[in-house]
Amino acid sequence: MEQMPRYAVIADLIRRLYDYGSWCGETHIQKTMCFLQELLDVPTGFEFILYKHGPFSFDLRDELSAMHAYQMVEFAPQPLPYGPRWHVTESGDGLQGNFPVTLGKYETQLRFVVAKLGDKRVGELEKLATALYVTKRYSKENDR
């Protein structure tokens, strides 16, 4: 997937999570994006590695930083011990409007992942995403 359509998918995921009532911190975005890509075959092209608290993509973190720099998304700091909440700006909403075909193509997957994972807390997401990651990796090794 090219960069701008990928940004639209990321913005759509963030908007949906936020609208669903998710805390919408980076961990929520990381883990739900992992499910979109690894389980639901949305071809975002992120490389996930098993990191401190489950699957993590440094590429996705870089994309979020770039989107923040382009003012497509922003985050609101929260009182300790909580991390910031991400949300989509007007510019990010406009970006989503530029890619209706891409977003329409993945509508079902986006709706599904938010409905199933949108209300999960970080600890639950870490466990579920780690189970998915390990299962997929071991399944590939066993198929050889």
Side-chain angles (χ1 to χ4, degrees), residues 14 17-18 22-30 61 64-65 68 73-87 122:
I14 293 170
L17 285 169
Y18 195 87
S22 169
W23 180 262
C24 210
E26 184 177 358
T27 301
H28 296 86
I29 297 165
Q30 286 275 348
R61 176 178 269 179
L64 286 170
S65 295
H68 184 250
V73 295
E74 60 186 12
F75 60 90
Q78 303 297 310
L80 289 174
Y82 304 104
R85 294 181 72 175
W86 287 87
H87 63 92
V122 168

Side-chain angles (χ1 to χ4, degrees), residues 14-70:
I14 293 170
R15 182 187 52 77
R16 287 171 186 267
L17 285 169
Y18 195 87
D19 289 350
Y20 193 82
S22 169
W23 180 262
C24 210
E26 184 177 358
T27 301
H28 296 86
I29 297 165
Q30 286 275 348
K31 303 318 181 213
T32 53
M33 184 61 72
C34 179
F35 272 89
L36 271 177
Q37 180 176 297
E38 300 297 321
L39 181 65
L40 302 174
D41 298 321
V42 176
T44 56
F46 294 119
E47 179 182 347
F48 285 91
I49 62 167
L50 200 53
Y51 198 53
K52 295 178 183 178
H53 302 283
F56 186 86
S57 173
F58 286 95
D59 299 331
L60 176 54
R61 176 178 269 179
D62 291 346
E63 294 283 52
L64 286 170
S65 295
M67 290 175 72
H68 184 250
Y70 294 135

